[in-house]
Amino acid sequence: MKAFVIPNESTYDHIANRLVETGYCILPQLLSSPLNTALHRRVMNLDDDDFKPAGIGREIDFQLDGNIRRDETRWLSIENATDKAYLEAMSEFRLAINQRLFMGLFDYEAHYAHYAPGAFYKKHVDAFKGQSNRVLTTVLYLNNDWKTEDGGQLQLYKSDSNEIIETIEPDFGCFVIFLSEKFPHEVIKAQRDRFSIAGWFRLHDPLEAPLI
Ligand code: OGA
Ligand code: MN
């Protein structure tokens, strides 16, 4: 499925430069159109009960809090050919960024997210309490014909501030990358169904290493 992946060396050079200069990068399209289309078809074909209400925190810290977020999510799995094609594209991305920035990105996790009308995700940072090994966030949007009045924009804030530095429409194929710990961000209330894939490149967590 490698043929699906568009990004070339100069795309990765551009992304690496943006990450060094500003800490984020917004691309109107990163993946090939057939892969974007396959991912869109896949998310549209998932049933409501394939998604679970998203929580905050992990494992024993996990809580549902509808005042903070109202999206529903489903993890991608390599068992599914379309998910696998996306995860392979992200694996290639990881190696390309490590080559340029020595970030030591170790693995990647990603979920589909569905924001039903009225759903939002209040201002937050993508790093769990006591577990800040998420270093780079990605979001791929899978919505056709999104209009400003549909809401659902992603807003990036300046670090430790209420100043909004970017407002991003969740347009089909648009791919956003940012340093997970640096940018508080928020998803404005969506007025129609909004689909995306949110993902995180992580550093190696020594606590998860097998004992040798
Ligand atoms: C997240 C998130 C942003 C978006 O899932 O943590 O911030 O635009 N998503 O969907
Ligand atoms: Mn987030």
Side-chain angles (χ1 to χ4, degrees), residues 6-48:
I6 288 184
N8 54 29
E9 297 303 309
S10 70
T11 314
Y12 289 126
D13 289 344
H14 171 72
I15 295 169
N17 287 337
R18 299 306 298 156
L19 290 177
V20 170
E21 280 159 24
T22 63
Y24 67 91
C25 180
I26 302 164
L27 299 163
Q29 183 174 358
L30 173 75
L31 304 174
S32 69
S33 299
L35 180 51
N36 283 334
T37 301
L39 291 163
H40 179 255
R41 193 173 311 129
R42 163 102 172 115
V43 79
M44 299 311 286
N45 284 338
L46 288 170
D47 289 327
D48 280 354

Side-chain angles (χ1 to χ4, degrees), residues 7 50 61 117 137 191 194 211:
D50 291 328
D61 280 337
T137 300
Q191 306 294 339
R194 174 195 195 266
L211 294 172

